[in-house]
Amino acid sequence: MFRNHLKNEAEYDHDRMDRYLWQRERTTGLSRRQLIKMMAAALGSAAVGGFLCTKQARAGGGCVQKPTPPELFIPQGGGNYEMRFDVLPHHDYLVSSDRFFVRDHTCTPPPIDETTWRLRVHGAGVENPLELTYDDILALPSVTVTRFIECAGNGRSLFAIQQGRMAQGGQWLLGAVGVAEWTGVRLSDVLDLAGLKSQAVDVMPIGLDAKFQAFGHVRRPFPIEKALEDDTLLVYAMNGQPLLNDHGFPVRMLVPGWVGIANIKWVGQLLVSHKPLMSPFNTNLYRLFGDDYPPEGVLLTNQPVKSAFELPFPAQLGAGRHVLHGRSWSGTGPIQQVEVSVDGHHWKQAELVGANEPEAWVRWKILWNATPGKHVLRARATDQAGLTQPDDVPFNTLGYLFWAVVNHHVTVV
Ligand SMILES: Nc1nc2c(c(=O)[nH]1)N[C@H]1C(S)=C(S)[C@@H](COP(=O)(O)O)O[C@H]1N2
Ligand SMILES: [Mo]
């Protein structure tokens, strides 16, 4: 019944939240106002810990299995490492798997034996609940796409650095994003096998990693319309190799253009529902809360448009001519244009280089004659949907979606 507005999850969220609160009102006897207050309270206690696995990491329990040398990554506590843009090879469109950022809620990438692993597809939204083996999945028609995965919290540190207000959570710069080539099967093919019912409204992949505190297993529903898109995949390979354990071996979700959390790693179950589904990962977390937002927050769906220079942050350069390299990306379409300012007033078009895939990124370059002194470089992208990076963004307490133009400080000597 919601089908016609499922494409726009933000609109649908309104209905979904409404129904959810209505169900909760009936089962708990609490008022809507009380329920919203409880959500906000749970949120407060959750957020205090920031990245909650930091303690474990300090105790020596390494969370991430692939090497994370400081030349390639900035550690962000626990199982969280951001990619360094400054050492990304300018000529590579893809981020190799050894450089790809890692974001784990629990520091417990489960050691999964793919011979005993099963994907359970079940729920009232399917006629024939089923279990698939790894081999069953490999035997389905495969699809390869190039897309980014970006954490909703990417750029969070810039709320403090640039707008003077620190948000809760890991203080990422801009490297919690990466573009890879993903191979897997269409989620729609798997749902067809399970006899998807016309009444199905939501699909919720559930991760096999440990429970994230009181929030339980990492899981996030998305509407059936998104589930049925051609590039929404159950992925088993990244850049032509089986997924690394850190990136969700044996199978993870790829939900193109959407916030990182939608791309559930180590998927063990797909719950297909004929009723709206909720999880703390789209009610308490991954919503915009704060003075500029309604009390129940605003759902996150697509990543907005952003840009980064392939320079250290901040950078030091010698005087003279430089080719500045960078990348821009958007969750709402390919990039239309990128403008760069080196003086805070004038904008010049950067030259777009090579591939410009939707929900991936485009590389760009521009010549700069650097004179000694302090400078602020700024890059501003516009995507084909017409979305342009603003000068600042309203604060939200959890620091998601910082997509304002970034002031990149450079000292020229
Ligand atoms: N099971 C599970 N899936 C998960 C997460 C997690 O902690 N557990 N983190 C999510 C978040 S917040 C992001 S940004 C991406 C990061 O994917 P990556 O670590 O492969 O870069 O995975 C998502 N999928
Ligand atoms: Mo994330």
Side-chain angles (χ1 to χ4, degrees), residues 359-391:
E359 285 99 41
W361 54 26
V362 70
R363 289 164 294 160
W364 45 262
K365 61 182 183 186
I366 194 163
L367 206 64
W368 183 38
N369 199 357
T371 53
K374 291 192 182 304
H375 300 270
V376 180
L377 304 183
R378 310 181 83 216
R380 178 172 72 189
T382 301
D383 71 15
Q384 284 181 15
L387 198 63
T388 300
Q389 292 183 254
D391 285 334

Coordinates of all heavy atoms in Angstrom, one line a residue, residues 359-391:
E359 N 26.8 7.2 -8.2 CA 27.1 6.6 -6.9 C 28.5 6.1 -6.8 O 28.7 5.1 -6.1 CB 26.0 5.6 -6.5 CG 24.7 6.2 -6.1 CD 23.7 6.1 -7.3 OE1 23.6 5.1 -8.0 OE2 23.0 7.1 -7.4
A360 N 29.4 6.7 -7.5 CA 30.8 6.4 -7.3 C 31.5 7.8 -7.2 O 31.0 8.6 -6.4 CB 31.4 5.6 -8.5
W361 N 32.5 8.1 -7.9 CA 33.1 9.4 -7.8 C 33.7 9.8 -9.2 O 33.7 9.0 -10.1 CB 34.0 9.6 -6.7 CG 35.2 8.7 -6.6 CD1 35.8 8.0 -7.6 CD2 35.9 8.3 -5.4 NE1 36.8 7.2 -7.1 CE2 36.9 7.4 -5.7 CE3 35.8 8.7 -4.1 CZ2 37.8 6.9 -4.8 CZ3 36.7 8.2 -3.1 CH2 37.7 7.3 -3.5
V362 N 34.1 11.1 -9.2 CA 34.9 11.5 -10.4 C 36.2 12.1 -9.9 O 36.2 12.8 -8.8 CB 34.1 12.5 -11.3 CG1 33.9 13.8 -10.6 CG2 34.7 12.6 -12.7
R363 N 37.3 11.9 -10.6 CA 38.5 12.5 -10.3 C 38.6 13.8 -11.0 O 38.0 14.0 -12.1 CB 39.7 11.6 -10.7 CG 39.8 10.4 -9.8 CD 40.7 9.3 -10.4 NE 40.1 8.8 -11.7 CZ 40.8 8.2 -12.6 NH1 42.1 8.0 -12.6 NH2 40.1 7.8 -13.7
W364 N 39.3 14.8 -10.5 CA 39.5 16.1 -11.1 C 40.8 16.6 -10.8 O 41.5 16.2 -9.9 CB 38.4 17.1 -10.7 CG 38.0 17.1 -9.3 CD1 37.0 16.5 -8.7 CD2 38.7 17.9 -8.2 NE1 37.0 16.8 -7.3 CE2 38.0 17.6 -7.0 CE3 39.8 18.7 -8.2 CZ2 38.4 18.2 -5.8 CZ3 40.2 19.3 -7.0 CH2 39.5 19.0 -5.8
K365 N 41.2 17.6 -11.6 CA 42.5 18.3 -11.4 C 42.4 19.8 -11.8 O 41.6 20.1 -12.6 CB 43.6 17.6 -12.1 CG 43.5 17.5 -13.6 CD 44.7 16.8 -14.2 CE 44.6 16.8 -15.7 NZ 45.6 16.0 -16.4
I366 N 43.3 20.5 -11.2 CA 43.4 22.0 -11.6 C 44.8 22.5 -11.3 O 45.4 22.0 -10.3 CB 42.3 22.7 -10.8 CG1 42.1 24.2 -11.4 CG2 42.6 22.8 -9.3 CD1 40.8 24.8 -10.9
L367 N 45.2 23.4 -12.1 CA 46.5 23.9 -11.9 C 46.5 25.1 -10.9 O 45.6 25.9 -10.9 CB 47.0 24.5 -13.3 CG 48.5 24.6 -13.5 CD1 49.1 23.2 -13.6 CD2 48.7 25.3 -14.9
W368 N 47.5 25.1 -10.0 CA 47.6 26.2 -9.0 C 49.0 26.7 -9.0 O 50.0 25.9 -8.8 CB 47.2 25.6 -7.7 CG 47.2 26.7 -6.6 CD1 46.8 28.0 -6.7 CD2 47.6 26.6 -5.2 NE1 46.9 28.7 -5.5 CE2 47.4 27.8 -4.6 CE3 48.1 25.5 -4.5 CZ2 47.7 28.0 -3.2 CZ3 48.3 25.7 -3.1 CH2 48.1 26.9 -2.5
N369 N 49.1 28.0 -9.1 CA 50.5 28.6 -8.9 C 50.5 29.1 -7.5 O 50.0 30.1 -7.1 CB 50.6 29.8 -9.9 CG 52.0 30.2 -10.1 OD1 52.9 29.6 -9.5 ND2 52.2 31.1 -11.0
A370 N 51.2 28.4 -6.7 CA 51.2 28.6 -5.2 C 52.3 29.6 -4.8 O 53.5 29.5 -5.1 CB 51.5 27.3 -4.5
T371 N 51.8 30.6 -4.1 CA 52.8 31.7 -3.6 C 53.0 31.5 -2.1 O 52.0 31.0 -1.4 CB 52.2 33.1 -3.9 OG1 50.9 33.1 -3.3 CG2 52.1 33.4 -5.3
P372 N 54.2 31.8 -1.6 CA 54.4 31.5 -0.2 C 53.4 32.2 0.7 O 52.9 33.3 0.4 CB 55.8 32.2 0.0 CG 56.4 32.2 -1.3 CD 55.3 32.4 -2.3
G373 N 53.0 31.5 1.8 CA 52.0 32.0 2.7 C 51.0 31.0 3.1 O 51.1 29.8 2.7
K374 N 50.0 31.4 3.8 CA 48.9 30.5 4.1 C 47.7 30.7 3.2 O 47.3 31.8 2.8 CB 48.4 30.9 5.6 CG 49.5 30.5 6.6 CD 48.9 30.6 8.0 CE 49.9 30.3 9.1 NZ 50.6 29.0 8.9
H375 N 47.2 29.6 2.8 CA 46.1 29.6 1.8 C 45.0 28.6 2.3 O 45.2 27.7 3.0 CB 46.6 29.1 0.4 CG 47.7 29.9 -0.1 ND1 47.4 31.0 -0.9 CD2 49.0 29.9 0.0 CE1 48.6 31.6 -1.3 NE2 49.5 30.9 -0.7
V376 N 43.8 28.9 1.8 CA 42.7 28.0 2.0 C 42.1 27.5 0.6 O 41.7 28.3 -0.2 CB 41.5 28.6 2.8 CG1 40.4 27.6 3.0 CG2 42.0 29.1 4.1
L377 N 42.3 26.2 0.4 CA 41.7 25.7 -0.9 C 40.3 25.1 -0.6 O 40.1 24.5 0.4 CB 42.6 24.5 -1.4 CG 44.1 24.8 -1.6 CD1 44.8 23.5 -2.1 CD2 44.3 26.0 -2.5
R378 N 39.4 25.4 -1.6 CA 38.1 24.9 -1.5 C 37.6 24.3 -2.8 O 37.9 24.8 -3.8 CB 37.1 26.1 -1.1 CG 37.7 26.9 0.1 CD 36.7 28.1 0.4 NE 35.7 27.6 1.3 CZ 34.4 28.0 1.2 NH1 34.1 28.9 0.4 NH2 33.5 27.5 2.1
A379 N 36.9 23.2 -2.6 CA 36.3 22.5 -3.8 C 34.8 22.3 -3.6 O 34.4 21.9 -2.5 CB 37.0 21.1 -4.0
R380 N 34.1 22.6 -4.6 CA 32.6 22.6 -4.5 C 32.0 21.9 -5.7 O 32.2 22.3 -6.9 CB 32.1 24.1 -4.6 CG 30.6 24.2 -4.5 CD 30.2 25.7 -4.3 NE 30.5 26.4 -5.5 CZ 30.4 27.8 -5.6 NH1 30.1 28.5 -4.5 NH2 30.6 28.4 -6.7
A381 N 31.4 20.8 -5.4 CA 30.9 19.9 -6.5 C 29.3 20.1 -6.6 O 28.7 20.4 -5.6 CB 31.2 18.5 -6.3
T382 N 28.9 19.9 -7.8 CA 27.4 19.9 -8.1 C 27.1 18.5 -8.8 O 27.9 18.2 -9.7 CB 27.0 21.0 -9.1 OG1 27.4 22.3 -8.4 CG2 25.6 21.0 -9.4
D383 N 26.1 17.8 -8.4 CA 25.8 16.6 -9.1 C 24.7 16.8 -10.2 O 24.2 17.9 -10.3 CB 25.5 15.5 -8.1 CG 24.1 15.6 -7.4 OD1 23.3 16.4 -7.9 OD2 23.9 15.0 -6.4
Q384 N 24.4 15.7 -10.9 CA 23.5 15.9 -12.0 C 22.1 16.1 -11.6 O 21.2 16.5 -12.4 CB 23.7 14.7 -13.0 CG 24.9 14.9 -13.8 CD 25.1 13.7 -14.8 OE1 24.2 13.0 -15.1 NE2 26.4 13.7 -15.4
A385 N 21.8 15.8 -10.3 CA 20.5 16.1 -9.8 C 20.4 17.6 -9.4 O 19.4 18.1 -8.9 CB 20.2 15.3 -8.6
G386 N 21.5 18.3 -9.5 CA 21.5 19.8 -9.2 C 21.9 20.1 -7.8 O 21.8 21.3 -7.4
L387 N 22.3 19.1 -7.0 CA 22.7 19.4 -5.6 C 24.1 19.9 -5.6 O 25.0 19.3 -6.2 CB 22.6 18.0 -4.9 CG 22.6 18.0 -3.4 CD1 21.3 18.7 -2.9 CD2 22.6 16.6 -2.9
T388 N 24.3 21.1 -4.9 CA 25.6 21.7 -4.8 C 26.0 21.8 -3.4 O 25.2 22.1 -2.5 CB 25.6 23.1 -5.4 OG1 25.2 23.1 -6.8 CG2 26.9 23.8 -5.3
Q389 N 27.3 21.6 -3.1 CA 27.8 21.7 -1.7 C 27.6 23.1 -1.2 O 27.9 24.1 -1.8 CB 29.3 21.4 -1.6 CG 29.5 19.9 -1.9 CD 31.0 19.6 -1.8 OE1 31.7 19.5 -2.8 NE2 31.5 19.5 -0.6
P390 N 26.9 23.2 0.0 CA 26.7 24.5 0.6 C 27.9 25.0 1.4 O 28.9 24.3 1.5 CB 25.5 24.2 1.6 CG 25.8 22.8 2.0 CD 26.4 22.1 0.8
D391 N 27.8 26.3 1.9 CA 29.0 26.8 2.7 C 29.0 26.3 4.1 O 30.1 26.2 4.7 CB 28.9 28.3 2.7 CG 29.3 28.9 1.4 OD1 30.1 28.3 0.7 OD2 28.8 30.0 1.1

